[in-house]
Amino acid sequence: MVRLRSPSTLSEVEGLSFSFALYALSSTLSENYFKMIKLRVPSQLKQFDRLKTGDIVLLSGIIYTARDQAHKRLVEALKKHKKLPFDLKDQVIYYCGPSKTPKGKIIGSSGPTTASRMDEFTPVLLKAGIRGMIGKGSRSKEVIEAVKKYKAVYFLTYAGCGALLSKYVTKMKPVTYKDLGAEAIYRLEVKDFPLIVGIDSGGNNIYTIRNTQYAIPKNKQKKARF
Amino acid sequence: MRIIRADKIKNLVSELCILANLNLRKDVLTKLKSSYSKEKNKRANQILFAIIQNAKIAREEGIAICQDTGMPVVFVGIGQEVFVSGDLKAAIMRGVGSGYKKGFLRGSVAKNPLKRGKPGYLPCVIHIDIVKGNKIKLTVLPKGFGCENKSALKMFKPTAGISEIKKFIVDTVKSAGPDACPPYIVGVGIGGTADYAGLLAKKALLRKLQAPSSLPVRQAGKLQANYKLEYDLLREINKLNIGPMGLGGKTTALAVNIETYPTHISGLPVAVNISCHALRSATGIL
């Protein structure tokens, strides 16, 4: 793992490139608290079991966007035992409705949307085989239980940072429900997409344990798990 | 009387939409930077850093700050000596439409709130006010709905104490928790009617965010009471340990802006309009 000094002054912050700076900060952060892990999906899905709440993950591979209306349709289709427009098994769903793609760019602004709005649909999708979700904010008890049951992971990503996150997307292709505009399902290829584990496969929720985590003495937090 | 062509209004609105969505407000950015310097929590610090970087990338590369380019809210202050030649409302709508298209912004408006369907750019929400003078002031506030969903209104008894009102405001932030993209800017409207308090809360978001240290806490007059309340609330909210992305830290809110208005003897409406850290607005004058 690369260890870099954290930028301390504002002029340093302004001058740094975003990826370098994120990397620098991530590394100082993980020194003290958590690990930073590079993962590829779907090929390294097995690693999901080893992720712990609070870990920083740089995700590469294929993810699918879906938000409110797409969730509603997917769940309705599942309930009626209809064939789905794409195979949900082992996929990672990103709660995102990107803005339009400017000329010369791969994707427009593409940050996470509030995950709790998807709560009522998530257990059904987890049952159908999805293994990961990316969003922002807290989840319901039912979702946490389902995440545990199906050994999935809920990731957080940088909320309100759509321009920054668009830099980690290398390909974008609409898949289905194109009539929904921004709410359609897109297949995204991402590289080192920065995430924080929000709920790990053991059902540990970052919003309930974060305070106790920070209370752990620093020397004990350094323990490496990988 | 001064004549202003509707076309001019359209063009300005179009520019303002792009400006607001691509360039984070300077006062917000300044506040974020000062929070970054003060925040001790490392994870919070990292997130604030990402937010500052995000604003930079958006500005330099012409990408929207946030994918949720909001439901556009347009505030119009028309000088009473102005004559608008053409259809004012249609011009504003056309301006929003063309600005959102040109800026590659997201169409996030569901035409039918019940049937939903494919989202588009329009319509926007327009608030028109008649003011003195011979100019038109236009402000575009693209309001994302992650935070708009956490708005709250409470009709207090006229005998309610300030501590009750404070508790309601702090509780509203608490219930927004990590979901609405903290650090927040909390807009509060106190007084008027139920609808007017809501409008005041939204208008409060347009006011420049001031550094707590520069607040004239000790000065006399009407403003003083508001500033004191803002200052106290900000301190209380930042003790909630919600922090950026809800992962802890003392940066839960960047500012609390309060607007007040006289109200009826039988009531005391208080509205809270929360904004995410990407508080975007742009103003132009014709």
Side-chain angles (χ1 to χ4, degrees), chain A residues 108-154:
Chain A
S109 196
S110 44
T113 195
T114 311
S116 58
R117 291 201 316 270
M118 268 45 90
D119 279 355
E120 57 173 307
F121 307 112
T122 299
V124 184
L125 293 189
L126 282 167
K127 198 181 167 194
I130 66 163
R131 287 294 302 279
M133 297 148 287
I134 305 169
K136 70 172 165 96
S138 52
R139 307 304 305 259
S140 68
K141 263 186 207 155
E142 291 76 23
V143 170
I144 296 173
E145 281 305 309
V147 164
K148 202 173 163 184
K149 188 174 169 191
Y150 299 106
K151 293 265 166 242
V153 177
Y154 167 58

Side-chain angles (χ1 to χ4, degrees), chain A residues 59-106:
Chain A
L59 193 81
S60 302
I62 309 292
I63 59 177
Y64 289 88
T65 69
R67 39 174 291 152
D68 308 62
Q69 300 300 331
H71 270 74
K72 203 174 164 187
R73 286 191 189 181
L74 284 174
V75 169
E76 271 168 14
L78 279 169
K79 280 187 180 156
K80 288 177 188 162
H81 303 288
K82 278 187 189 161
K83 195 179 176 289
L84 290 182
F86 70 106
D87 191 7
L88 286 178
K89 193 159 170 30
D90 290 344
Q91 298 304 345
V92 176
I93 302 287
Y94 181 22
Y95 303 143
C96 172
S99 56
K100 298 242 159 94
T101 310
K103 272 177 201 127
K105 304 266 187 240
I106 292 157

Side-chain angles (χ1 to χ4, degrees), chain B residues 104-175:
Chain B
F104 298 97
L105 307 176
R106 195 178 81 180
S108 315
V109 180
K111 276 233 162 60
N112 184 327
L114 297 175
K115 286 188 183 157
R116 317 304 293 189
K118 187 175 182 172
Y121 301 128
L122 292 165
C124 56
V125 174
I126 305 174
H127 296 290
I128 297 177
D129 199 6
I130 309 285
V131 295
K132 273 188 205 165
N134 63 355
K135 287 182 175 140
I136 294 185
K137 187 177 172 188
L138 288 156
T139 301
V140 176
L141 172 79
K143 189 66 167 45
F145 253 57
C147 51
E148 187 72 5
N149 279 339
K150 306 294 177 186
S151 310
L153 169 75
K154 190 164 178 181
M155 306 301 280
F156 282 92
K157 281 188 208 165
T159 49
I162 194 78
S163 59
E164 279 175 74
I165 294 169
K166 271 189 186 169
K167 188 174 178 295
F168 166 66
I169 296 166
V170 174
D171 282 352
T172 305
V173 175
K174 216 191 259 177
S175 75

Side-chain angles (χ1 to χ4, degrees), chain B residues 42-60:
Chain B
K42 279 205 171 177
R43 197 185 276 285
N45 227 296
Q46 188 211 24
I47 296 159
L48 286 171
F49 182 88
I51 293 169
I52 296 166
Q53 283 290 321
N54 182 65
K56 187 182 164 204
I57 293 165
R59 189 176 60 232
E60 285 174 359

Side-chain angles (χ1 to χ4, degrees), chain B residues 169 185-188 207 229-230 233-234 237 253-258:
Chain B
I169 296 166
I185 295 95
V186 185
V188 182
R207 207 177 77 208
L229 192 56
E230 286 173 2
L233 277 166
L234 184 62
I237 288 167
L254 297 177
V256 178
N257 280 2
I258 301 176

Side-chain angles (χ1 to χ4, degrees), chain A residues 14 34 54 97 109 111 164 167, chain B residues 43 54 56 61 64 67 106:
Chain A
E14 295 248 283
F34 307 106
S109 196
L164 176 79
K167 295 288 177 186
Chain B
R43 197 185 276 285
N54 182 65
K56 187 182 164 204
E61 303 205 12
Q67 76 288 345
R106 195 178 81 180

